[in-house]
Amino acid sequence: MTVAAPPVLRTVALVGNPNTGKSTLFNRLSGLRQRVANYAGVTVERRVGRATLGNGEEIRVIDLPGMRSLAPRSPDERIAVDVLLGRRADTPAPDAAVVILNALHLEIGLYLLLEVRELGVPVVACLNISDEAERAGIAIDRGALAREMGVPVVRTIATRGEGMDELKAEIARATLLPRVPPVPLPEPLHGMCDRLRGAWPGTPGDAEIADALIEGPEADGIPDGVRDALRNVRGIETGGRLRDLVVGARRRRIAEICALAVRRAPADPRRDWTRRLDRTFTHPVAGYAIFLAVMGLVFVAMFWLAQFPMDWIKSGISALQRGTVAAFGAGDLSSLLSDGVLEGVGAVVVFLPQIALLFIFLGILEDTGYLSRAVLLLDRPMAAAGLSGRGFVPLLGSMACAVPGVMGTLVIPDVRERLVTIFVAPLMTCSARLPVYSCLIGVVILGAPWVQGLVLLGLYVLGAGSAFSLAWVLRRARRRAARTDFLVELPPYRWPTWRTTGIQLWQRVRAFLRRAGTVILGIMVLLWFLEHHPRSADPSRQLEESYAGRAGKIVEPALRPLGHNWKTGIGILTAFFSAREVYVGTMGTVYGVDGAGDDATELKERMKAERDPATGRPHWTLAAGLSLMIFFVYAMLCSSTVVTVFRESGSWRWALLQLGVMTGLAWVAAFAVYRAASAAGWGVLP
Amino acid sequence: MIQSLLALALVAGTSGWLAVRAIRLLRRGGACSGCSLAPLRPRARG
């Protein structure tokens, strides 16, 4: 009996510049049939899916990281090139490549298309985001484009699924075509490529070798054995002449093709409107003022609008606590559930409306197109700090959480610059700091919501300013590298789509609640035990004599100069071993056990009621509150980030140095603020 | 008495679970509240 061999699964790679809608297209093709893992040895996402073509054939689809050209400048681009050339053991060589072009910026995409086509792999060009291009008055003659490039061109709108059938049909045709010999390069380069080919492992394409010649032996991602050969060959030709030969030739060809295939209608009024708005929003002076005003408004609105839902949540949690005590009666389990779990988790969950509002506003700003202008504005101070534009997205990502921010630094090609970005990323204000700031602002800033909002804005600005300043210091101390290119796309202004904002908001709310219901809940259970054991003979000294109290007392000497006692010590310890927002949960349970301000139900009121046993004065003065906020701006109170920095930088030395520097900076800054605020008379009354 | 035992069992179980999470964190790297909270996610991907 013979068993039929399983049909060979053909493979298609999706290639494109960043922001061409490549991932949306991948999702359209593969639906839910996709697997996401990492490429071996690096934290670059490897996304592979299955798609069924019109003829019923099943194919494998690989979504490659976005890249601008085949000259790899960063590890993720290196992987994309390796996959395309079939050089990775963990990924099959593609039978065809789909090059996705953003129809709004055809010239940029055509460069990559020319390069991929030169490799000899069958190519399908996919003209995506066609609807926006047409609205912008850009008419692309697909026939002319296909004729000039020698590849089929499909018009798609991936967000709506338009053009997918035609794309699948072209993919089916392309995967059956054989690879053709790579396109020869101009004569002087041809000879040099031949001389280099022997030193190169595998089977490099001419285009790849030419890019290596242009970029030079110091460029990232060039196989080590090739560097020496490259130095010798480069001794013959200068980079500038080569650049002109290859890049210049390609650019001229692209200009010819665009002249034939692209027609631009006179700017429509909407585009014109966008240009007029851009002149104001990206103005070197007014732009920054508007940006600060917008963010100030966001924070003030956040404080003002969140008051009501926060009150509802507080009442709900109090009712649950009363119900728990009524149901279980007095006892350990009742205490654990009411004083530990509900008190601690409730103290964090109460800030959900503020976090949700912040993300609603940020979602709207992103959707309208304003956030891209903010990116452009912030590129200037970053450039002054010596940070590459490519570091911007990781730093902005760190404003949600430093963990994906640090992982995102992989897009930075220069190793030293990448380390500097990793070093400063945790200084950006992450969403875990928000409950802490909100809690402390509620306790010590007694003004109207707009005053509280502005204080919060100040803390965000301080975090970002400190990150840029520290980067500037570190960059000056180290070798200066050339700034890498950074392109930011400025989409036309548009009304936000409520569906997109709503879906994003739901994902974020769900993530916050999941975390509150898992890790924070677990830590609160553990903390309850540490606060209630060993049992003290004197119930009023229970917290002080508990394991948690003793641990707090150990760190108290370091916190005294900052105006804080062992209770804050417990909060900082739990935050350090888990994450920052746990500080708020810890304070909930600490003040619950301690019974300070017993009549008050709210954590804020309990904290305000605390007195210094030595002086009898309120403990939570403005000076004490400010010093702790400043401490949280700088301190690395997040174990996940420490571990991630270790993994991404490849050494504990860098992670521990960062931990030490940030802790030292936090202590010194908090001490200075406490002293200055006390001297100003803010250390007496809250 | 029963309440105390139940509370202790809950604390012991939670401690074990947290320990497993901590070991996993050290082995596989961090995952934090913000992973799905990022307003603009880093593009080390497709």
Side-chain angles (χ1 to χ4, degrees):
Chain A
M1 193 177 95
T2 54
V3 179
V8 178
L9 205 59
R10 293 178 188 278
T11 302
V12 172
L14 303 188
V15 190
N17 300 147
N19 301 324
T20 49
K22 191 162 55 61
S23 292
T24 312
L25 198 85
F26 173 74
N27 290 335
R28 280 280 173 198
L29 280 172
S30 57
L32 294 173
R33 295 185 302 162
Q34 49 177 275
R35 278 185 307 155
V36 181
N38 279 354
Y39 285 99
V42 282
T43 47
V44 175
E45 264 183 19
R46 178 177 182 274
R47 310 214 309 156
V48 180
R50 297 271 177 109
T52 308
L53 300 179
N55 57 9
E57 184 194 351
E58 191 155 284
I59 56 161
R60 186 189 288 116
V61 186
I62 306 172
D63 182 17
L64 291 178
M67 54 184 169
R68 297 219 172 266
S69 77
L70 287 188
R73 291 186 178 84
S74 60
D76 55 324
E77 286 178 348
R78 170 88 255 160
I79 281 173
V81 173
D82 282 348
V83 170
L84 212 48
L85 293 168
R87 283 203 298 243
R88 283 199 70 91
D90 56 1
T91 310
D95 298 289
V98 176
V99 178
I100 295 125
L101 308 164
N102 180 347
L104 278 166
H105 307 288
L106 190 63
E107 294 85 349
I108 302 172
L110 283 182
Y111 192 90
L112 184 64
L113 176 59
L114 271 178
E115 282 191 309
V116 175
R117 200 198 55 173
E118 285 170 10
L119 294 176
V121 61
V123 173
V124 178
C126 173
L127 209 51
N128 199 27
I129 319 185
S130 304
D131 51 341
E132 286 197 23
E134 284 153 18
R135 278 202 298 273
I138 300 170
I140 298 170
D141 180 348
R142 280 198 289 149
L145 190 60
R147 208 168 42 246
E148 294 300 317
M149 294 299 293
V151 298
V153 178
V154 183
R155 174 188 181 275
T156 59
I157 304 167
T159 46
R160 295 210 298 262
E162 279 182 32
M164 300 312 291
D165 289 340
E166 193 189 344
L167 179 64
K168 284 179 179 177
E170 289 300 345
I171 289 174
R173 268 192 284 275
T175 52
L176 296 175
L177 294 173
R179 279 185 178 238
V180 293
V183 173
L185 290 162
E187 189 47 44
L189 265 173
H190 205 195
M192 276 186 273
C193 286
D194 283 344
R195 287 166 57 190
L196 259 184
R197 189 165 280 112
W200 208 291
T203 48
D206 276 0
E208 190 188 13
I209 301 179
D211 279 328
L213 282 164
I214 293 165
E215 293 302 318
E218 308 306 329
D220 282 321
I222 293 174
D224 281 335
V226 176
R227 289 184 197 276
D228 286 338
L230 197 52
R231 280 191 191 97
N232 295 336
V233 176
R234 271 176 67 82
I236 303 168
E237 283 292 350
T238 63
R241 186 167 129 71
L242 293 177
R243 188 177 292 274
D244 188 53
L245 267 173
V246 181
V247 182
R250 285 194 190 124
R251 293 258 175 256
R252 280 190 292 277
R253 180 78 189 110
I254 289 169
E256 286 167 16
I257 295 169
C258 286
L260 283 170
V262 182
R263 290 277 171 274
R264 286 176 198 276
D268 77 1
R270 205 168 73 105
R271 279 263 150 190
D272 203 40
W273 182 229
T274 290
R275 256 195 292 276
R276 255 185 285 169
L277 278 178
D278 272 348
R279 268 201 289 275
T280 314
F281 287 159
T282 60
H283 188 271
V285 179
Y288 287 100
I290 291 170
F291 176 63
L292 280 179
V294 167
M295 293 317 287
L297 265 177
V298 164
F299 288 126
V300 171
M302 190 184 92
F303 264 98
W304 184 65
L305 290 173
Q307 290 173 51
F308 312 103
M310 283 172 82
D311 284 341
W312 303 333
I313 295 176
K314 278 176 211 158
S315 318
I317 290 165
S318 297
L320 275 176
Q321 283 176 306
R322 283 195 299 274
T324 309
V325 174
F328 291 95
D332 272 358
L333 187 63
S334 166
S335 165
L336 167 63
L337 295 177
S338 171
D339 306 335
V341 171
L342 286 170
E343 189 72 54
V345 175
V348 180
V349 168
V350 97
F351 292 101
L352 176 66
Q354 289 193 341
I355 289 187
L357 279 169
L358 180 64
F359 281 117
I360 287 178
F361 291 135
L362 284 183
I364 291 173
L365 288 180
E366 189 183 353
D367 232 18
T368 53
Y370 180 73
L371 219 52
S372 306
R373 276 71 187 181
V375 169
L376 195 69
L377 278 178
L378 291 177
D379 187 44
R380 282 175 211 152
M382 281 188 61
L387 284 170
S388 134
R390 287 199 184 202
F392 185 83
V393 176
L395 284 183
L396 197 69
S398 300
M399 292 190 72
C401 175
V403 169
V406 167
M407 286 163 74
T409 57
L410 208 65
V411 299
I412 302 169
D414 184 76
V415 177
R416 286 164 191 274
E417 188 185 325
R418 186 169 166 234
L419 284 177
V420 169
T421 313
I422 288 177
F423 204 94
V424 303
L427 286 173
M428 302 298 284
T429 304
C430 64
S431 57
R433 282 181 176 102
L434 189 58
V436 180
Y437 290 160
S438 255
C439 170
L440 294 174
I441 286 173
V443 174
V444 300
I445 308 287
L446 303 176
W450 71 267
V451 181
Q452 298 181 324
L454 289 184
V455 172
L456 187 63
L457 175 65
L459 291 167
Y460 270 78
V461 171
L462 182 65
S466 303
F468 294 165
S469 308
L470 187 61
W472 184 78
V473 171
L474 289 171
R475 294 287 285 164
R476 278 186 72 86
R478 288 180 168 272
R479 173 179 67 90
R480 186 173 289 270
R483 253 171 73 83
T484 44
D485 63 321
F486 177 57
L487 286 171
V488 58
E489 188 188 326
L490 298 180
Y493 291 102
R494 54 171 88 96
W495 289 107
T497 51
W498 302 111
R499 192 167 173 272
T500 317
T501 312
I503 290 172
Q504 283 176 356
L505 176 69
W506 166 238
Q507 285 174 344
R508 286 152 192 171
V509 165
R510 199 178 52 182
F512 179 81
L513 288 178
R514 186 186 293 153
R515 187 166 163 75
T518 52
V519 179
I520 294 176
L521 188 142
I523 287 166
M524 290 306 133
V525 169
L526 201 61
L527 194 62
W528 173 86
F529 178 82
L530 297 174
E531 285 170 350
H532 289 79
H533 294 84
R535 302 283 190 198
S536 167
D538 177 2
S540 69
R541 293 181 62 79
Q542 173 58 47
L543 182 67
E544 202 170 346
E545 291 176 5
S546 68
Y547 294 123
R550 288 179 206 176
K553 292 252 178 193
I554 293 173
V555 293
E556 189 181 26
L559 297 174
R560 272 277 162 212
L562 314 182
H564 290 281
N565 56 18
W566 54 276
K567 289 183 188 169
T568 296
I570 300 174
I572 287 180
L573 281 176
T574 51
F576 173 73
F577 284 109
S578 46
R580 293 177 177 94
E581 68 264 49
V582 172
Y583 168 82
V584 178
T586 305
M587 288 295 106
T589 63
V590 161
Y591 281 89
V593 178
D594 195 42
D598 250 351
D599 302 337
T601 52
E602 247 190 83
L603 169 62
K604 192 167 74 177
E605 300 305 325
R606 285 180 176 166
M607 287 172 78
K608 281 182 189 169
E610 192 188 0
R611 303 264 152 184
D612 189 323
T615 61
R617 286 179 178 162
H619 169 72
W620 284 100
T621 60
L622 183 55
L626 285 177
S627 98
L628 194 59
M629 283 184 233
I630 298 297
F631 188 82
F632 269 89
V633 167
Y634 294 107
M636 170 73 110
L637 297 171
C638 180
S639 52
S640 299
T641 308
V642 176
V643 175
T644 308
V645 169
F646 153 65
R647 291 176 62 87
E648 293 296 320
S649 65
S651 87
W652 275 113
R653 210 177 54 178
W654 195 251
L656 294 177
L657 178 72
Q658 182 182 36
L659 181 64
V661 167
M662 285 182 69
T663 310
L665 207 58
W667 195 91
V668 171
F671 178 74
V673 166
Y674 183 65
R675 287 288 148 199
S678 298
W682 296 350
V684 184
L685 289 169
Chain B
M1 183 62 188
I2 292 176
Q3 280 221 17
S4 297
L5 282 176
L6 281 173
L8 273 181
L10 205 58
V11 170
T14 310
S15 307
W17 175 71
L18 283 174
V20 170
R21 274 188 77 105
I23 292 167
R24 203 182 294 161
L25 174 76
L26 280 170
R27 280 197 180 160
R28 294 187 202 162
C32 186
S33 56
C35 288
S36 50
L37 297 182
L40 285 177
R41 292 188 202 172
R43 286 185 182 269
R45 59 191 190 92

